[in-house]
Amino acid sequence: MSAEEPQDGSPEEDDNLRYFVRIGQTDLDGTKSVERSLTDMKGIGKRMSRIVADAAGVDRHATFGRLEQDEIDSVVDVVENLEDHTPEWMVNRQKDFFSGETTHKVGSDLEQKRRHDINRMKMISSYKGVRHKRGQKVRGQRTKSTGRTEGTIGVNVEAIKEEQAAAAEGGDEDE
């Protein structure tokens, strides 16, 4: 039996499978379950994907690519209006700085808002903004022994030899 054929011998099931399901600007894997596939979107985790599947009235263990078009449309509708289907404490944009609204951002909208927030912190020179500018850790992690990106660790023998040779040549010129 080949790997392409289904094990029950019905090739018509592969014809109904959509390998990619597009929600917003994200291509989701149609071969995974609805719950696992939704977690590939930024802003949707395991718990949020369960809420989306329940609110859309879809079996969360069903293969996402085998769903009917109206079921996929209901999932897309729930993802686009997540703040209506989730409790206020669970959304990722509570009381937005500019609008004061509570929303849930997903995909590229989430990345754009995050960049905007970081730039605003840098412009007003808040503590977190200054840490972002310097490229240091922002959330209170230890920095004494971790997060070192520059410099060499250990002894660079070649550099020491070059320095000693330069010092010896410089010392000979003085005499």
Side-chain angles (χ1 to χ4, degrees), residues 25-67:
Q25 298 168 349
T26 308
D27 286 333
L28 300 179
D29 190 359
T31 61
K32 295 180 184 177
S33 67
V34 174
E35 187 177 7
R36 295 244 356 239
S37 185
L38 283 172
T39 58
D40 292 342
M41 285 187 77
K42 289 188 183 294
I44 297 182
K46 291 179 184 177
R47 186 176 235 184
M48 191 62 75
S49 67
R50 283 186 177 194
I51 289 174
V52 168
D54 291 342
V58 177
D59 179 26
R60 67 177 190 229
H61 300 294
T63 305
F64 202 25
R66 295 193 198 282
L67 295 178

Side-chain angles (χ1 to χ4, degrees), residues 94-107:
Q94 297 175 3
K95 298 179 185 172
D96 188 43
F97 181 76
F98 294 106
S99 65
E101 297 176 355
T102 297
T103 59
H104 191 89
K105 300 291 183 188
V106 293

